[in-house]
């Protein structure tokens, strides 16, 4: 038999799985830390992929979901946050010659959009926006049943849309981006800075906080934590309203760890979206929902990509 291989590259974990045609249940699935004592992340990735190819089976295509700036046309990873040495890495051509099979690479948020559209909450929709809110913010947009990539594959980065001139510093080094207000990192950083100013809270000062800590405190009624999520939700709502004006989708799917914070984020986000949208027609029939694929979203997106290759 011939199998498809799906690969999900993360800063902390590498995952790979093999699938028979038409199936979403992996024949073999394995995951390992991205960095370890025995070899570079690239060597580890190759070993991992080889380990999930079933004996006596051939590989018809490999799909890879990769973090950071990816050129899907050339299979090049320009920058991969948290993976040392992965700068302008020709991962696609390298894997293609190593495994002697077609390889296609996509940005992880784009792959998540593909997965939700093909296999998840977005099935049956032709115009879809996927947004992941975790340590950073990523987006993928499908319009007229096609993933929007742009000339270099770098299209639709909602996280780096500017919402405030000279605003807070974003992880990318520029200021006032949506990610600088609404990512998990930004939510925690805002609370840490307010605590340092002496604002009252049940959260401890001078410790490294996570968005999860802030969410838990918000649900206990902590005003500072509630304010942090209101601020994040408000900015996300503005970003989504902008995207509705540009793309006019029928569904918005929200994934990523911070989206599991629930109503403390979704409440202000919905209110802000409704407040900032140009006319109610954009909201007519619009579905706003959570991702249904969870941790599998990257692998399933890579699988959808492998299957979308000509002849697969
Ligand atoms: Zn940015």
């Amino acid at each position: 038999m011939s199998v498809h291989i799906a690969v999900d590259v993360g800063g902390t974990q590498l995952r790979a799985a093999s699938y028979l045609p038409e199936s979403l249940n992996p024949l073999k699935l394995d995951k390992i830390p991205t960095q370890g004592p025995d070899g570079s992340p690239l060597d580890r990735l190759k070993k991992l992929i080889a380990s999930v190819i079933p004996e006596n089976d051939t590989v018809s295509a490999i799909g890879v979901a990769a973090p950071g700036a990816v050129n899907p046309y050339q299979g090049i990873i320009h920058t991969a946050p948290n993976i040392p040495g992965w700068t302008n890495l020709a991962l696609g051509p390298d894997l293609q010659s190593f495994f002697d099979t077609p390889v296609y690479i996509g940005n992880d948020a784009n792959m998540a959009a593909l997965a939700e559209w093909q296999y998840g909450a977005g099935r049956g929709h032709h115009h879809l926006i996927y947004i992941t809110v975790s340590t950073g913010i990523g987006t993928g947009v499908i319009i007229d049943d096609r993933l929007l990539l742009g000339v270099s594959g770098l299209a639709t980065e909602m996280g780096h849309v500017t919402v405030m001139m000279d605003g807070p510093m974003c992880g990318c080094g520029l200021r006032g981006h949506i990610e600088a207000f609404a990512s998990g990192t930004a939510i925690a950083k805002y609370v840490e800075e307010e605590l340092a100013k002496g604002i009252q809270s049940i959260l401890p000062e001078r410790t490294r906080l996570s968005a999860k800590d802030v969410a838990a405190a918000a649900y206990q009624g902590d005003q500072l934590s509630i304010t942090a999520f209101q601020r994040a939700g408000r900015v996300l709502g503005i970003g989504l309203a902008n995207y509705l004006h540009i793309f006019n989708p029928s569904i918005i799917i929200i994934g990523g760890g911070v989206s599991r914070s629930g109503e403390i984020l979704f409440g202000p986000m919905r209110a802000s979206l409704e407040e900032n949208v140009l006319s109610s027609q954009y909201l007519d029939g619009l579905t706003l929902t959570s991702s249904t694929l969870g941790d599998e979203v990257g692998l399933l997106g890579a699988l959808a990509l492998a299957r979308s290759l000509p002849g697969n």
Side-chain angles (χ1 to χ4, degrees), residues 17-18 82 85 103 118 123 150-151 155 182 193 199 230 246 248 269 285:
S18 50
N82 305 318
V103 175
Q118 296 273 301
R123 268 180 301 180
V151 66
E193 285 172 359
I199 304 292
Q230 281 173 338
I246 300 168
N248 189 200
M269 185 179 74

Side-chain angles (χ1 to χ4, degrees), residues 159-160 170 172 177:
H160 306 287
C170 183
C172 70
H177 290 175

